[in-house]
Amino acid sequence: MRCFLLVFLFLLAVAKLGAEPAWPEWRGPLGTGVTPAKGPTSLDPKKDLRWKVTLPGRGTSTPAVAEGRVFLTAPIDGKDAALCYSLENGELLWQAVFDRVREPRHRLGSSANPSPVTDGEFVYCYFKSGTLMALDLEGQVQWEVNIQKTYGKDTLGFDLGTSPVLIDEVLLIAVIQRGDPFLLGLDPKTGRRLWKTDRDYQVASESAATYSTPAVAESPAGKLILSFGADRLSAHEARSGKFLWDVAGFNPENRGNWRTIASPVVAGNTAIVTYGRGDFLAGVRFDEKGGEMVWNRRSDGNDVPTPATTGNLVWVLSGRGNLECLEADSGERLWDHTFPKTRGKYWSSPVLAGSTIYCVRDDGTVFTGTVTARDGLEKVQSFSLGEEIIASPVVVEGICLIRTQESLFCFEG
């Protein structure tokens, strides 16, 4: 009976997502890594490839999709650039080139790590250089600002990781680091500052560094920003940036190297938080008045991939290729599945489209499978694209987009 209830809740949650066809940001229509759209289960480059284009430079940003257009960022001849392709045939519709890039420090990083976000009218692009701009769907720049020159120097030890987030009429940028960390809300139409809220906690060394993206949560009082970093989960009002509450206890020994990469995710009124360099996972029950850690468990090392959630279910992918399905409110493991072991690692975040899950290994291998709450992962297939992959998959209108370090693949079932 319990398993039947879990399956029912899973299907109900997916149905409630609606029929929005676009992929507006790196974690999809609701920022959860889940979409009701059905994607292809086979990604065979010889049989299922609709089109493929060569990209002008290395980038790890995940594409965004709106109005039949695919937006992504990449360097072009040493400069930051935004590119737009036709979803139909991969034709390059336009490219916009900006200032010089800031070169990456990590071997897998790039100057174009943050993923673009779109509201269907404008697309917003953010780069390691600090450049943030809004372009219309024809590639015309509407406004531009350099976050680092205007609001404070980047002090992260490695490459910028956080992506911009759109919440109602606010464009959110998180700058969580040592020395003057803050959350910034801008007017998406003009780039004008709406609010700036300091997020300054005294923590040891590298634990202050955050490469994750804040999550958005619903509450009776309005939408909340849930931000994890500096060993705390904090909540702020989306419209005003006002601090509401925080939850500590994620680093009781005050270790100095617990920086954050994976982003928090929301399942109902529970926030799922990865911490301790991916060795721990916690559930925080919350509302607009406060939060409380209700479970805490060892993880299999999901330091970088951000989980996917729907209803009361959470899918957690570790860097070693272990996929777990958990109950969000209890942290109880329902099942797990381990993909074949190789030297490759999983940096990309899992995506669930309908009942098909996509998990990507950095050596260019993509796994697909059918998930259920009761029986685990079934009908697992693997496909080799032959190119290094760091970005996360995108599923929209029966199509799966995979951005590698060299190319953009479009598969159609």
Side-chain angles (χ1 to χ4, degrees):
M1 182 66 182
R2 181 170 173 274
C3 287
F4 171 79
L5 179 61
L6 287 170
V7 174
F8 173 76
L9 290 174
F10 166 65
L11 295 175
L12 181 64
V14 170
K16 286 183 178 180
L17 290 179
E20 171 59 54
W23 192 272
E25 53 145 311
W26 79 284
R27 295 306 283 149
L30 294 180
T32 60
V34 173
T35 173
K38 291 184 178 180
T41 57
S42 176
L43 304 180
D44 187 334
K46 296 181 179 179
K47 298 189 300 182
D48 306 306
L49 188 64
R50 180 169 178 172
W51 51 260
K52 174 186 175 183
V53 296
T54 300
L55 299 178
R58 288 171 59 93
T60 66
S61 59
T62 296
V65 180
E67 301 296 327
R69 299 175 181 225
V70 183
F71 307 99
L72 57 78
T73 56
I76 295 180
D77 296 329
K79 293 186 176 182
D80 294 327
L83 301 99
C84 176
Y85 296 92
S86 165
L87 182 62
E88 176 67 25
N89 57 23
E91 177 188 359
L92 178 64
L93 301 178
W94 54 259
Q95 63 184 36
V97 181
F98 310 104
D99 294 333
R100 298 292 301 177
V101 304
R102 277 185 66 203
E103 295 296 335
R105 291 191 62 190
H106 195 282
R107 66 179 183 85
L108 296 177
S110 74
S111 59
N113 284 357
S115 299
V117 60
T118 179
D119 55 10
E121 182 179 2
F122 300 116
V123 58
Y124 305 90
C125 301
Y126 186 36
F127 300 91
K128 181 178 178 177
S129 63
T131 298
L132 170 71
M133 84 285 296
L135 304 98
D136 65 21
L137 300 195
E138 302 303 321
Q140 299 301 309
V141 177
Q142 305 302 298
W143 56 261
E144 180 178 343
V145 62
N146 189 289
I147 299 298
Q148 295 161 20
K149 293 178 181 178
T150 306
Y151 298 102
K153 180 182 177 182
D154 171 25
T155 66
L156 292 170
F158 288 96
D159 306 312
L160 198 66
T162 184
S163 296
V165 179
L166 276 171
I167 317 172
D168 293 335
E169 297 302 317
V170 176
L171 178 65
L172 170 67
I173 299 293
V175 180
I176 303 176
Q177 57 187 11
R178 294 193 69 184
D180 301 323
F182 58 88
L183 300 176
L184 178 66
L186 302 178
D187 182 342
K189 304 297 184 186
T190 66
R192 179 178 62 87
R193 187 174 90 175
L194 300 176
W195 52 260
K196 179 175 177 286
T197 301
D198 292 340
R199 194 187 183 281
D200 196 2
Y201 297 102
Q202 298 304 309
V203 297
S205 186
E206 193 188 2
S207 296
T210 299
Y211 303 89
S212 67
T213 299
V216 179
E218 301 283 350
S219 82
K223 291 186 178 180
L224 307 179
I225 299 165
L226 296 184
S227 175
F228 188 75
D231 304 329
R232 288 167 177 80
L233 179 72
S234 66
H236 296 75
E237 288 183 352
R239 287 194 176 275
S240 68
K242 177 184 176 182
F243 170 80
L244 297 175
W245 51 260
D246 61 20
V247 175
F250 297 95
N251 188 1
E253 298 179 6
N254 199 29
R255 298 188 183 184
N257 62 345
W258 283 23
R259 83 290 178 273
T260 303
I261 298 178
S263 300
V265 292
V266 175
N269 66 340
T270 303
I272 312 301
V273 176
T274 299
Y275 71 100
R277 302 183 74 90
D279 289 336
F280 298 93
L281 200 66
V284 177
R285 192 164 298 143
F286 70 90
D287 57 26
E288 68 275 15
K289 298 179 181 179
E292 177 188 9
M293 189 188 302
V294 292
W295 58 263
N296 188 23
R297 63 190 292 271
R298 296 285 301 191
S299 175
D300 191 44
N302 60 304
D303 187 24
V304 179
T306 293
T309 68
T310 186
N312 189 40
L313 300 179
V314 184
W315 286 271
V316 182
L317 178 66
S318 77
R320 305 181 186 93
N322 187 58
L323 180 67
E324 295 180 290
C325 180
L326 310 177
E327 284 188 326
D329 58 8
S330 67
E332 179 184 348
R333 178 189 295 171
L334 301 177
W335 54 260
D336 66 347
H337 177 91
T338 300
F339 296 111
K341 297 290 186 182
T342 70
R343 293 183 178 181
K345 292 186 177 182
Y346 296 76
W347 310 100
S348 171
S349 299
V351 166
L352 179 65
S355 61
T356 300
I357 199 162
Y358 300 80
C359 299
V360 180
R361 198 168 62 205
D362 64 359
D363 63 2
T365 303
V366 183
F367 294 93
T368 67
T370 302
V371 300
T372 68
R374 181 184 63 188
D375 300 318
L377 191 62
E378 302 174 336
K379 301 178 182 177
V380 177
Q381 303 180 78
S382 67
F383 308 93
S384 177
L385 305 192
E387 298 178 12
E388 186 178 57
I389 304 174
I390 308 297
S392 299
V394 169
V395 179
V396 56
E397 299 175 354
I399 289 170
C400 180
L401 297 168
I402 303 287
R403 189 250 178 93
T404 73
Q405 293 283 35
E406 303 172 26
S407 310
L408 179 63
F409 290 76
C410 179
F411 296 95
E412 183 175 30

